Amino acid sequence: CFSSASSTTGSIISVIPPASPPDPRPACQARPRPPFIRQTRAGGLGATAGPGGAATHGAQASASGSSTGGGSGHSAEASRVDTGSTSGTTPGTTDSGAITPGGGGLDSPRAPEGPHDAPRGHADVGGHNDGHPHVDPVSGWDGGEGLRLTAEQARAVDVYMQRAASIEPRITVELQQIAERTDARLIGTHVDQAGVRLSGLEYRLKTTESLYRKIATELGEIGDPRSVATVDAKLNVTGDAVRYTYVIPDEAFGAGVNSILEQLGEAGIRWTGQGQWKLTFGKPDVYQGINSQWHSPDGQRFEIQFHTESSLHAKEMTHPWYEEARLPETSEARRRELNEAQAGAFNAVPLPKGIEIILPPRQ
């Protein structure tokens, strides 16, 4: 169910599976049971013991050996992911850096998405939904684990996703061109070879089922499980139905982010404002990265995450734990355990260069 790889140099995160009742589901479908993390820092993420004790290969540490935490957790409007993978061929990825569902050494039943949020079901290479979840005309959609939508609520989500799918290709082309231009600008001035890329493009469009799960979870959190008006309000501020992840080399991170932000403005892509710029590198115990939301010239709201290889790996590794912690059925004791596991992984991410020169977007 999960791959294993030998440890490389860098910090070692030793994961000790907690004592808990066995999961009745088959091993390949069982949710990963993490951690109590015991960590020795030597510059970044190293090998992490997965469920059952096998090791999964972590992101290589920076040469400086520094390690600084940051972030507030996976963005429910992101992560996505949830997008992408570390460079090279990491267990659970392809040579292009794309995540293969269920890979990465984590027995996740769904493909990871952004901080978020995700596993959002699987998407095909074209970035579109690979089938529609079953919605009963009377009882609506039942996603298990206490997640439900009425048939009318599900129809509202369907309409939203159809519009997002029609606009997404134009956004994708523009962001790919920005990645190529940014890479060219950094070579010779900040880095010796190409390194800026969009990661996880096959997951750029959230699946319908994943959005069902997201909306149903949020309705449960606010205690308003039947309102269609509330669903519409949630969809209007959903930032990760379309989502992208830029991965930038540590040594050129600040310069790379600034270059991308400049080009987004030139392309007519507007920052949404409303606090949707979250730079969490350097903050202890929480998600590491930058999460932001934007409006395309067509008016589609979408998400961009900015990561280094190490921060992206940490997000992907901890994503199943984040998802489990959000479930209504998760006990408080289990939630504390999951949060402790995530904090240990995030604290091992090195602080990239140039964080202090990043200029936040303006409306």
Side-chain angles (χ1 to χ4, degrees):
C1 293
F2 54 85
S3 303
S4 63
S6 59
S7 170
T8 61
T9 59
S11 75
I12 304 300
I13 303 176
S14 300
V15 180
I16 304 174
S20 56
D23 195 311
R25 292 170 289 186
C28 288
Q29 297 178 5
R31 187 179 297 111
R33 292 212 173 258
F36 286 108
I37 288 185
R38 186 174 57 237
Q39 174 176 299
T40 304
R41 293 190 179 180
L45 295 174
T48 304
T56 61
H57 190 77
Q60 180 61 41
S62 69
S64 67
S66 66
S67 179
T68 306
S72 58
H74 300 258
S75 135
E77 300 299 326
S79 181
R80 151 101 155 219
V81 142
D82 72 349
T83 329
S85 76
T86 55
S87 63
T89 305
T90 305
T93 69
T94 66
D95 289 336
S96 64
I99 297 176
T100 55
L106 298 171
D107 294 334
S108 175
R110 298 183 295 267
E113 296 197 346
H116 60 109
D117 175 7
R120 321 157 177 223
H122 299 181
D124 64 18
V125 175
H128 297 287
N129 297 348
D130 62 350
H132 193 280
H134 173 70
V135 178
D136 186 274
V138 176
S139 60
W141 172 80
D142 186 346
E145 300 173 324
L147 301 178
R148 294 180 176 84
L149 293 176
T150 66
E152 191 175 1
Q153 288 173 332
R155 282 193 295 273
V157 175
D158 292 345
V159 170
Y160 179 88
M161 284 305 304
Q162 288 165 6
R163 181 179 186 276
S166 70
I167 296 174
E168 168 268 311
R170 294 190 288 276
I171 302 174
T172 300
V173 168
E174 186 64 52
L175 266 60
Q176 286 176 313
Q177 292 174 348
I178 289 175
E180 293 169 1
R181 290 193 295 266
T182 302
D183 212 27
R185 292 179 182 183
L186 295 179
I187 292 175
T189 58
H190 294 84
V191 293
D192 295 328
Q193 59 184 9
V196 178
R197 62 188 175 88
L198 279 173
S199 178
L201 278 176
E202 68 271 43
Y203 301 113
R204 64 188 176 270
L205 185 65
K206 197 179 193 75
T207 65
T208 301
E209 181 169 11
S210 175
L211 191 53
Y212 281 1
R213 297 182 65 86
K214 174 186 175 68
I215 296 298
T217 298
E218 293 180 354
L219 291 177
E221 289 173 347
I222 64 174
D224 190 13
R226 308 297 291 181
S227 170
V228 176
T230 303
V231 170
D232 289 336
K234 289 289 184 184
L235 290 171
N236 286 336
V237 296
T238 293
D240 66 341
V242 182
R243 63 286 179 91
Y244 302 89
T245 297
Y246 278 112
V247 181
I248 304 170
D250 284 61
E251 63 272 25
F253 190 79
V257 171
N258 282 341
S259 178
I260 291 170
L261 295 181
E262 178 185 356
Q263 293 175 76
L264 289 172
E266 293 170 353
I269 295 172
R270 298 177 295 105
W271 178 52
T272 62
Q274 301 172 337
Q276 296 301 327
W277 172 264
K278 300 174 183 178
L279 191 162
T280 51
F281 282 110
K283 297 181 181 179
D285 299 336
V286 291
Y287 166 86
Q288 303 286 281
I290 300 175
N291 287 359
S292 59
Q293 292 187 15
W294 304 81
H295 283 129
S296 73
D298 303 290
Q300 175 62 46
R301 193 177 184 121
F302 67 98
E303 178 188 79
I304 299 177
Q305 295 182 24
F306 298 88
H307 279 285
T308 64
E309 299 289 359
S310 293
S311 68
L312 180 60
H313 174 75
K315 185 192 80 169
E316 292 170 352
M317 180 177 69
T318 60
H319 183 77
W321 309 337
Y322 164 80
E323 284 294 311
E324 183 180 353
R326 296 187 73 208
L327 292 174
E329 65 184 21
T330 301
S331 69
E332 285 303 314
R334 177 63 174 163
R335 188 171 289 112
R336 286 193 297 271
E337 177 185 15
L338 292 162
N339 290 338
E340 180 182 342
Q342 294 180 74
F346 294 140
N347 287 341
V349 175
L351 187 67
K353 183 178 179 180
I355 289 293
E356 71 284 354
I357 69 170
I358 294 175
L359 301 174
R362 296 179 179 178
Q363 285 183 295

